[in-house]
């Protein structure tokens, strides 16, 4: 029986009737609430998904290659717009390119945002500012759509869900530029730091470098994804703790296929053997892929929406209220008292 409020209404399902008629034995108490999951799946499949990934790091660290490796297709800007010997821009440019990807009936609009020119100048002071502005501009565009009187049924989402930050494989410590960028940007976007071209380090150097980076992130109060304060429960905490212990991921990217022991796989061929990109004994690319795509993609989007965008929205609406109040001649202390 199904209980709604104080009275109990007996639930007579057709399955129960067929049982009396000598049909198959069915659970008489079954209501069917779990069917909502199938409805949600069908709706999600119809709508498709959006994922916006930003890649940041100086030129020559393999950003384009890593994106192509992640999605096993030519998704990076360089692959699509192959320019003749691209020059390093004088200022930071922000360029995005979108693709429609489909796998097993699931459609996804993937946007890869590239930042050519970042960290390539002699003076890299404040080079994080154009990137911060771009991220906030996307929040602003979403906010304006949201507060429209006749708003769209589905607001196009250009908000940056994740920023992969490429650390050069020096093996020593983070540069002031790395610290400054992550310290400022971790407050507005999910940052996933990676050690680029990690095959240039020995395993001992790699472990030392990773440990050093984690210490520096802690010392500077930099909270990279997955952030500890957003763990939802004990199970979440346990999974995320394992990821936090591995950050930054030491990755190697390659869009070249090779034959190794009769198997075709992505790798980098050297004189002393092939570095297998998806082999966890060789590098941590597989862990990064699992985090971004297979286990935490929805969570990355949820945190963007419910934490980073929400903070931006609250700040902007408070600013608007203050401006309107001043225009109406209301003193600031009245406004503060009203807000409390």
């Amino acid at each position: 029986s199904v209980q709604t409020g104080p009275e109990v209404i007996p639930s007579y399902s057709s399955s129960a009737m067929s049982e009396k008629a000598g049909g198959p034995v069915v659970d008489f108490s079954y209501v069917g609430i779990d069917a909502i999951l199938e409805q949600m799946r069908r709706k999600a499949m119809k709508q498709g998904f959006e994922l916006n990934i930003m890649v940041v790091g100086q030129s020559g660290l393999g950003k384009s290659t890593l994106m192509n490796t992640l999605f096993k297709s030519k998704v990076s800007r360089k692959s699509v717009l192959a320019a003749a010997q691209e020059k390093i821009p004088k200022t930071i440019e922000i360029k995005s390119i979108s693709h429609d990807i489909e796998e097993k009936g699931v459609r996804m609009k993937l946007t890869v945002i590239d930042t050519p020119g970042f960290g390539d100048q002699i003076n890299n002071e404040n080079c994080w500012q154009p990137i911060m502005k771009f991220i906030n501009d996307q929040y602003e565009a979403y906010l304006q759509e949201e507060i429209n009187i006749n708003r769209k049924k589905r607001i196009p989402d250009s908000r940056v869900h994740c920023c992969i930050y490429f650390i050069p494989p020096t093996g020593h410590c983070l540069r002031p530029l790395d610290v400054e960028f992550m310290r400022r940007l971790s407050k507005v976007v999910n940052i996933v730091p990676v050690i680029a071209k990690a095959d240039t380090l020995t395993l001992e150097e790699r472990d030392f470098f990773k440990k050093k980076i984690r210490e520096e992130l802690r010392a500077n109060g930099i909270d990279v994804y997955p952030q500890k304060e957003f763990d939802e429960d004990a199970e979440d905490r346990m999974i995320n703790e394992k990821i936090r212990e591995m950050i930054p991921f030491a990755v190697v990217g390659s869009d070249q296929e090779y034959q190794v022991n009769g198997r075709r796989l992505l790798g980098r061929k050297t004189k002393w053997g092939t570095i297998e990109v998806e082999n966890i004994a060789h590098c941590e690319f597989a862990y990064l892929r699992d985090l971004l795509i297979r286990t935490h993609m929805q969570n990355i989007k949820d945190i963007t929406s419910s934490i980073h965008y929400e903070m931006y929205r609250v700040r902007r609406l408070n600013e608007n209220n203050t401006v309107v109040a001043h225009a109406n001649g209301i003193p600031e202390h009245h406004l503060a008292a009203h807000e409390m």
Side-chain angles (χ1 to χ4, degrees):
S1 62
V2 179
Q3 186 151 4
T4 54
E7 63 175 322
V8 176
I9 303 164
S11 157
Y12 299 113
S13 64
S14 57
S15 60
M17 299 302 180
S18 66
E19 191 183 335
K20 282 178 183 170
V25 177
V26 183
D27 179 7
F28 183 71
S29 62
Y30 177 69
V31 176
I33 299 164
D34 59 346
I36 186 77
L37 295 173
E38 180 54 29
Q39 293 167 42
M40 286 164 77
R41 194 187 73 86
R42 275 208 307 273
K43 187 179 177 185
M45 293 277 278
K46 265 186 206 160
Q47 282 184 344
F49 300 89
E50 290 166 314
L51 181 67
N52 307 320
I53 295 184
M54 178 181 261
V55 287
V56 179
Q58 66 192 65
S59 56
L61 289 180
K63 300 186 294 294
S64 299
T65 306
L66 189 80
M67 292 314 293
N68 293 346
T69 316
L70 266 175
F71 294 97
K72 296 193 174 173
S73 52
K74 305 269 186 218
V75 295
S76 72
R77 184 181 53 86
K78 274 189 182 171
S79 314
V80 180
L81 313 166
Q85 209 55 47
E86 192 179 81
K87 286 190 174 75
I88 291 170
K90 294 275 187 290
T91 56
I92 296 170
E93 297 172 358
I94 294 179
K95 298 183 173 181
S96 59
I97 189 151
S98 296
H99 304 268
D100 289 304
I101 299 176
E102 189 166 335
E103 185 179 53
K104 293 185 179 175
V106 178
R107 285 178 300 110
M108 186 172 80
K109 185 189 175 194
L110 170 73
T111 302
V112 179
I113 304 136
D114 196 1
T115 54
F118 175 86
D120 291 325
Q121 318 306 322
I122 293 168
N123 178 5
N124 289 305
E125 198 180 357
N126 298 339
C127 68
W128 48 269
Q129 283 177 345
I131 297 170
M132 174 83 97
K133 183 182 182 303
F134 178 86
I135 290 168
N136 283 331
D137 285 351
Q138 308 318 305
Y139 289 151
E140 183 63 30
Y142 197 88
L143 177 65
Q144 290 308 321
E145 286 285 357
E146 225 178 27
I147 59 179
N148 260 344
I149 292 171
N150 300 318
R151 60 181 179 180
K152 292 173 182 158
K153 194 176 175 186
R154 193 163 179 227
I155 298 171
D157 190 2
S158 64
R159 297 172 297 183
V160 179
H161 298 127
C162 174
C163 170
I164 306 176
Y165 186 74
F166 287 70
I167 299 164
T170 60
H172 297 295
C173 58
L174 290 175
R175 303 163 304 164
L177 169 64
D178 303 324
V179 172
E180 189 67 6
F181 178 88
M182 287 194 275
R183 193 171 63 78
R184 290 179 183 272
L185 271 287
S186 62
K187 294 179 175 69
V188 298
V189 70
N190 296 314
I191 289 188
V192 176
V194 299
I195 299 168
K197 298 195 168 179
D199 51 331
T200 59
L201 301 168
T202 66
L203 293 178
E204 291 77 17
E205 286 169 342
R206 194 177 86 177
D207 290 343
F208 171 78
F209 194 29
K210 279 163 68 87
K211 190 165 173 279
K212 187 91 176 116
I213 290 169
R214 281 196 296 272
E215 283 168 9
E216 287 189 71
L217 291 175
R218 264 197 302 274
N220 288 285
I222 298 166
D223 213 2
V224 296
Y225 184 83
Q227 301 90 333
K228 201 173 254 182
E229 59 181 306
F230 306 143
D231 291 346
E232 286 175 12
D233 50 38
E235 187 193 356
D236 238 21
R237 195 169 303 116
M238 203 170 71
I239 294 165
N240 290 345
E241 211 51 65
K242 282 182 186 158
I243 297 165
R244 284 190 279 266
E245 282 165 17
M246 289 172 67
I247 273 175
F249 298 107
V251 297
V252 177
S254 171
D255 36 24
Q256 297 293 310
E257 279 191 5
Y258 294 99
Q259 197 90 17
V260 177
N261 301 331
R263 291 180 303 128
R264 289 195 72 73
L265 43 84
L266 291 169
R268 282 169 60 82
K269 205 173 179 67
T270 66
K271 281 183 179 176
W272 47 88
T274 303
I275 297 150
E276 298 171 26
V277 167
E278 296 182 270
N279 184 340
I280 53 172
H282 292 201
C283 80
E284 295 170 340
F285 168 80
Y287 295 126
L288 174 70
R289 180 206 52 213
D290 288 357
L291 176 78
L292 292 179
I293 301 170
R294 299 186 183 180
T295 62
H296 283 63
M297 188 196 283
Q298 189 56 48
N299 185 253
I300 285 170
K301 293 178 66 174
D302 290 345
I303 286 178
T304 300
S305 183
S306 61
I307 308 289
H308 297 307
Y309 169 67
E310 199 56 29
M311 279 167 70
Y312 179 85
R313 194 183 70 86
V314 168
R315 195 181 76 235
R316 282 286 287 115
L317 295 182
N318 277 339
E319 279 170 17
N320 286 358
N321 289 346
T322 309
V323 169
V324 170
H326 284 174
N328 293 335
I330 301 168
E332 205 150 302
H333 60 270
H334 275 261
L335 195 68
H338 178 69
E339 278 174 6
M340 285 165 77

